[in-house]
């Protein structure tokens, strides 16, 4: 067969790289927020994330999604989920990297920031395995309301190993934890929970359904059920102590837009054996402490997707030529890429500041109050910006980005997920408004966080003043809650960049997002500094050779 063409002018696979030490902004943020001591561990994680091995495993895990086997061939109910070997390999890696445990096992300041950096790196690798790791991490907050249960399971929840065997928790050295809250009729409105719990000696039996239950093969999971007129929180084992499957009937696995390597399911509870966590009737308040941490995870995950998409776009633009020039040498493309890099960096600083507030919350009441605000603000804004940036990054690749073989297509399908997980946009905005209008400490902590930025730029001062004006009339703030949270996110991002990032980055952000904002990346009209922004964002080697 004759050769009709040769392959050239294709970017090719990115080379192996360290996604931590090559990321200037991430290095600076980790140091600024007190986690510089974790740099050796983060460098090891970064090298793993930038490796061809991990890229191949992520591709295989998504090409071969989990499969449900509700019954065996003889008709016995088994409710098993079969995962591709790539999934199990990735799960072993993410637990070894202490995604789920670093915040709880390092007794020093900055532990939550270090763990957030691990999450940020893994969000660039394979978001599917981030879900079970994040739930396992966050479960500790809810289990703190049941000290006996926490003492019983803590060491194995935080163990660095991975054990997928379907066995009772007592027989396993490492445990994964999930949560199952939403029901068909309720969604984010957990007060509409209809699952019921009846007492059975020292435990309870739960009957009902859950509309979204990710990782239904988990060893332990937290859930909600009604005890009379009120809603309580419960912990259930996936397998009973006698080795039998607990009463979790997997009805089907969700056929999802993205996050395909991960198993999300619809389940029925038919007399599920469980124990109560926290006070009876305080279920939503108990489990929301877990949800607060997973909302932080959404912000980190969205920021990670923006970082990875920008990296891939830079790599492509540096190695693709059109109209006699490399794409990255063309002024309009440089403006687009620089704007994407600016957005990704701002998202990183906002998410890691939220992690820093979470880290200091137990030691500093003002930081605890700030965490109450900045976590949902970061969750809302980064999750809104990620789909737009991923669409732009896909467009940077042209038709190559629109085929499933390319990782940018998988990232694009992943981008909307964090916006709906743990509360969609309106729910999050109302939560921010509730905290600001009902918790004076939170409003005061926010004002203190923004205070150092006052006077640095007249446009930023006007933005902050506008936020304050909206809050002066809380009774009329709900219709404009999205604008309020958007302006808070912009003000916080600008303040963080002014304090920690190079001056040129902060000035460019204020110009492009506050002074002359635009609807499309690269259209804000901010000029100057493209080369520095692109060089700063070039995590992948040779992604910006001419910056």
């Amino acid at each position: 067969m004759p050769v009709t063409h040769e392959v050239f002018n294709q970017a090719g696979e990115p080379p192996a790289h360290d996604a931590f030490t090559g990321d200037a902004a991430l290095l600076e943020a980790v140091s600024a927020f007190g986690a510089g001591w974790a740099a050796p561990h983060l460098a090891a994680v970064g090298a793993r994330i930038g490796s061809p091995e991990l890229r191949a495993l992520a591709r295989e895990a998504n090409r071969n999604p989990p499969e449900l086997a509700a019954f065996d061939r003889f008709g016995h109910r088994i409710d098993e989920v079969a995962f591709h070997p790539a999934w199990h390999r990735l799960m072993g890696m993410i637990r070894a990297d202490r995604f789920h445990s670093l915040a709880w096992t390092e007794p020093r300041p900055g532990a939550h920031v270090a763990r957030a950096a691990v999450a940020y790196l893994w969000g660039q690798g394979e978001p599917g395995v981030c879900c079970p790791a994040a739930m396992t991490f966050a479960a500790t907050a809810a289990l703190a309301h049941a000290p006996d249960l926490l003492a019983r399971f803590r060491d194995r929840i935080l163990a660095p190993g991975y054990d997928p065997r379907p066995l009772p928790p007592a027989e396993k050295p490492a445990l994964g934890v999930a949560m199952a809250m939403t029901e068909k009729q309720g969604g984010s409105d957990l007060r509409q929970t209809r699952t019921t719990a009846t007492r059975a000696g020292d435990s309870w039996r739960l009957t009902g359904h859950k509309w979204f239950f990710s990782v239904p093969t988990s060893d332990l999971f937290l859930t909600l059920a009604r005890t009379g007129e009120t809603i309580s929180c419960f912990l259930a084992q996936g397998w009973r102590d006698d080795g039998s499957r607990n009463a979790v009937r997997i009805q089907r696995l969700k056929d999802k837009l993205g996050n395909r390597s991960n198993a999300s399911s619809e389940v029925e509870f038919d007399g599920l054996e469980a124990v109560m966590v926290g006070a009876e009737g305080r279920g939503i308040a108990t489990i929301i402490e877990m949800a607060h941490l997973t909302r932080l995870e959404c912000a980190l995950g969205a920021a990670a997707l923006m970082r990875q998409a920008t990296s891939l776009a830079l790599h492509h633009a540096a190695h693709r030529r059109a109209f006699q020039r490399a794409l990255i040498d063309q002024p309009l493309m440089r403006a687009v890429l620089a704007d994407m890099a600016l957005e990704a960096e701002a998202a990183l600083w906002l998410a890691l500041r939220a992690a820093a507030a979470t880290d200091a919350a137990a030691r500093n009441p003002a930081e605890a109050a700030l965490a109450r605000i900045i976590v949902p603000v970061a969750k809302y804004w980064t999750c809104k910006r990620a789909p737009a940036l991923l669409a732009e990054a896909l467009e940077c690749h042209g038709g190559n980005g629109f085929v499933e073989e390319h990782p940018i297509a998988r990232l694009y399908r992943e981008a909307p997920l964090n916006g709906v997980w743990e509360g969609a946009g309106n729910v999050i905005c109302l939560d921010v408004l509730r905290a600001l209008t009902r918790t004076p400490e939170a409003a005061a902590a926010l004002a203190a966080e923004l205070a150092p930025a006052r006077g640095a730029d007249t446009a930023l001062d006007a933005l902050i003043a506008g936020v304050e004006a909206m809050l002066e009339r809380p009774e009329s703030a709900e219709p404009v809650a999205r604008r309020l949270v958007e302006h808070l996110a912009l003000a916080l991002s600008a303040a963080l960049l002014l304090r920690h990032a190079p001056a040129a980055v902060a000035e460019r952000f204020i110009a492009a997002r506050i002074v002359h904002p635009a609807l499309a990346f690269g259209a804000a009209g901010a000029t100057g500094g493209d080369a520095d922004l692109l060089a700063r964002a070039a995590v992948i080697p040779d992604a910006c050779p001419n910056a």
Side-chain angles (χ1 to χ4, degrees):
M1 181 177 179
V3 176
T4 60
H5 71 280
E6 61 177 316
V7 177
F8 67 99
N9 197 25
Q10 291 283 346
E13 288 288 339
H17 61 280
D18 183 340
F20 174 68
T21 58
D23 189 334
L26 180 57
L27 281 167
E28 293 167 10
V30 165
S31 177
F33 298 137
W37 51 264
H41 178 69
L42 295 173
V45 178
R48 189 199 295 278
I49 295 304
S51 69
E53 179 193 13
L54 192 131
R55 286 200 298 272
L57 289 170
R59 182 170 57 250
E60 287 304 302
N62 282 275
R63 286 181 63 246
N64 299 276
E67 296 180 350
L68 171 64
F71 301 89
D72 68 12
R73 68 189 182 93
F74 302 106
H76 302 116
R77 184 101 198 197
I78 56 174
D79 293 287
E80 292 182 355
V81 179
F83 291 90
H84 189 269
W87 167 270
H88 294 301
R89 180 80 178 111
L90 289 164
M91 283 293 295
M93 289 177 173
I94 198 170
R95 286 195 59 118
D97 285 343
R98 301 168 69 192
F99 181 116
H100 65 299
S101 63
L102 190 58
W104 311 121
T105 56
E106 287 290 343
R108 57 177 126 178
H112 275 277
V113 177
R115 193 219 65 87
V118 174
Y120 180 75
L121 290 166
W122 263 97
Q124 299 171 53
E126 172 41 36
V129 292
C130 293
C131 175
M135 291 190 294
T136 300
F137 152 67
T140 299
L143 290 176
H145 292 274
D148 55 333
L149 291 174
L150 184 58
R152 177 182 172 189
F153 295 118
R154 183 182 187 276
D155 288 347
R156 283 171 294 147
I157 290 173
L158 301 181
Y162 169 62
D163 186 350
R165 295 176 298 166
L167 295 173
E171 299 180 26
K172 299 181 67 172
L175 303 175
V177 190
M179 61 178 169
M181 295 192 293
T182 58
E183 297 184 2
K184 297 184 188 73
Q185 72 285 345
S188 296
D189 186 358
L190 299 178
R191 293 169 298 180
Q192 292 197 45
T193 295
R194 291 294 177 265
T195 297
T196 59
T198 56
R199 190 180 293 275
D202 293 333
S203 61
W204 297 76
R205 299 293 181 269
L206 276 57
T207 302
H209 84 280
K210 297 298 170 181
W211 189 231
F212 273 93
F213 183 177
S214 286
V215 202
T217 54
S218 294
D219 303 296
L220 302 166
F221 61 92
L222 290 144
T223 190
L224 298 175
R226 286 193 171 274
T227 50
E229 296 300 314
T230 60
I231 297 171
S232 300
C233 181
F234 296 88
L235 180 73
Q237 299 183 181
W239 284 263
R240 302 182 182 94
D241 289 336
D242 64 7
S244 62
R245 186 74 158 106
N246 207 345
V248 179
R249 312 297 184 221
I250 304 177
Q251 303 301 93
R252 64 171 176 170
L253 299 184
K254 298 282 193 181
D255 185 8
K256 297 173 295 183
L257 172 67
N259 207 248
R260 292 181 178 175
S261 67
N262 180 28
S264 299
S265 64
E266 300 167 18
V267 302
E268 298 282 346
F269 296 157
D270 185 14
L272 178 75
E273 297 179 16
V275 292
M276 188 175 289
V277 176
E280 184 170 354
R282 295 284 298 166
I284 294 176
T286 298
I287 210 166
I288 208 70
E289 295 194 30
M290 180 178 181
H292 181 74
L293 292 178
T294 47
R295 283 178 175 175
L296 172 59
E297 214 63 31
C298 293
L300 290 164
L305 289 174
M306 287 193 268
R307 165 74 273 179
Q308 180 67 347
T310 300
S311 295
L312 291 173
L314 282 169
H315 173 73
H316 176 81
H319 297 279
R320 178 79 167 180
R321 295 182 64 82
F323 310 110
Q324 291 78 53
R325 285 185 295 178
L327 291 177
I328 204 164
D329 291 333
Q330 301 185 24
L332 191 53
M333 178 58 82
R334 290 173 72 83
V336 171
L337 293 169
D339 214 17
M340 290 165 56
L342 185 69
E343 191 72 27
E345 177 163 349
L348 165 66
W349 283 103
L350 184 60
L352 280 199
R353 180 62 182 97
T358 301
D359 186 84
R363 306 183 299 273
N364 186 331
E367 288 290 295
L370 179 64
R372 175 66 185 88
I373 293 295
I374 197 171
V375 168
V377 167
K379 195 271 193 200
Y380 173 81
W381 186 239
T382 58
C383 292
K384 286 298 179 193
R385 297 299 286 168
L389 189 145
L390 265 292
E392 195 69 61
L394 188 153
E395 188 174 328
C396 288
H397 289 81
N400 285 348
F402 204 68
V403 297
E404 287 294 341
E405 290 176 304
H406 200 291
I408 201 71
R410 185 172 74 247
L411 298 178
Y412 177 74
R413 287 189 281 100
E414 188 78 23
L417 173 59
N418 290 296
V420 296
W421 189 30
E422 302 302 4
N426 285 354
V427 172
I428 300 301
C429 288
L430 292 174
D431 183 55
V432 172
L433 186 61
R434 186 182 308 113
L436 284 171
T437 56
R438 297 182 185 178
T439 311
E441 297 84 358
L446 178 65
E449 182 70 12
L450 293 174
R454 291 179 182 272
D457 185 276
T458 56
L460 178 57
D461 288 345
L463 183 72
I464 296 172
V467 168
E468 293 171 341
M470 279 188 270
L471 290 176
E472 287 176 358
R473 299 182 58 192
E475 70 282 354
S476 60
E478 181 172 334
V480 295
R482 285 195 173 211
R483 180 179 293 274
L484 169 66
V485 177
E486 177 177 327
H487 285 187
L488 281 174
L490 292 173
L492 285 165
S493 297
L496 288 165
L497 293 172
L498 283 167
R499 191 181 313 167
H500 300 293
V505 176
E507 292 166 4
R508 177 71 173 260
F509 182 85
I510 292 171
R513 298 293 182 269
I514 298 174
V515 179
H516 298 295
L519 297 180
F521 286 99
T527 58
D530 283 356
D532 291 339
L533 274 170
L534 295 176
R536 182 173 171 80
V539 175
I540 299 173
D542 299 325
C544 193
N546 300 317

